[in-house]
Amino acid sequence: MHIAILTFDGFNELDSLIALGILNRVKRPGWRVSIASPTLRVESMNGVILERHIDLSEASEANVVLIGSGMKTREVVADADLMSQLELDPTRQLIGAQCSGALLLASLGLLNGIPACTDLTTTPWVKEAGIEVLPQAFFAQHNIATAGGCLASQYLAAWVLTRLEGIEVAQEALHYVAPVSEKDDYVARAMANISPYIMGE
């Protein structure tokens, strides 16, 4: 099982790395979580430099693709050469977007008829793309999910884990990262956010 987290220059560390940390709590043969970028190195909005694991073409073949957000997302969407490297398909992949990552989904035509969650800064741009923005932290329809707010990345990770490995695995991963003395409440709140979009999938 291969999960790719798309990460571009100007990325928000919380979006890419919280999901990476939670998803890597699963220890299964063949389970792999990768940072995918168009260049060998990307620099975050706060100057953190990451070396990619895979390029965008390999990410397009992953079982799951999560799209992180960042300060330069609109530049990414405007780069036709870069966008042409992304071949995402919700009939064979779980696809999630964090905050401004919803702009990439909209640009790729993957949000047609599907509302999205995003951050407050990105909301007007997503609306300009013709997408309804929901005033909530998480929403999923079939194999596409979006989350709004940096710390909502935990919901994307939990959705992926629940879809792939079941509710107990997702709960265990969240329990591990949750603050001491708050673990049960933390897990319950997170699962309450994604549960309406799991039943019947």
Side-chain angles (χ1 to χ4, degrees):
M1 184 62 61
H2 187 196
I3 302 168
I5 302 174
L6 303 190
T7 304
F8 303 94
D9 266 327
F11 72 92
N12 185 317
E13 303 93 336
L14 296 175
D15 295 351
S16 292
L17 299 181
I18 288 176
L20 178 80
I22 293 173
L23 291 166
N24 267 321
R25 297 307 311 162
V26 174
K27 306 301 180 186
R28 299 275 194 277
W31 184 275
R32 181 165 62 120
V33 185
S34 302
I35 295 292
S37 303
T39 54
L40 292 176
R41 293 179 180 84
V42 285
E43 183 173 347
S44 79
M45 59 193 297
N46 294 307
V48 176
I49 296 175
L50 288 184
E51 293 191 5
R52 73 181 182 190
H53 298 122
I54 60 172
D55 62 21
L56 297 185
S57 63
E58 188 172 351
S60 293
E61 299 303 316
N63 305 98
V64 180
V65 178
L66 298 182
I67 304 171
S69 74
M71 296 179 65
K72 299 182 179 180
T73 303
R74 288 196 293 172
E75 295 175 30
V76 171
V77 170
D79 187 331
D81 289 339
L82 192 159
M83 292 294 289
S84 70
Q85 298 176 52
L86 297 173
E87 298 182 4
L88 307 185
D89 182 355
T91 66
R92 61 179 177 82
Q93 297 170 307
L94 294 181
I95 301 171
Q98 177 71 37
C99 293
S100 64
L103 288 173
L104 271 79
L105 292 186
S107 180
L108 293 168
L110 296 177
L111 290 180
N112 292 338
I114 300 176
C117 299
T118 189
D119 62 280
L120 298 179
T121 299
T122 308
T123 291
W125 304 329
V126 174
K127 287 182 176 179
E128 285 176 8
I131 306 303
E132 177 189 0
V133 175
L134 301 173
Q136 60 195 60
F138 181 83
F139 178 81
Q141 184 169 309
H142 304 302
N143 288 343
I144 294 179
T146 52
C150 302
L151 295 180
S153 55
Q154 62 181 309
Y155 302 148
L156 272 182
W159 174 75
V160 168
L161 291 177
T162 301
R163 290 291 306 275
L164 296 180
E165 296 289 334
I167 290 174
E168 288 187 5
V169 170
Q171 290 174 326
E172 288 171 5
L174 291 172
H175 191 272
Y176 182 89
V177 302
V180 171
S181 84
E182 300 175 14
K183 290 183 179 292
D184 290 343
D185 289 342
Y186 184 99
V187 172
R189 184 175 61 250
M191 297 308 294
N193 273 278
I194 69 168
S195 292
Y197 311 106
I198 297 297
M199 303 306 177
E201 291 284 2

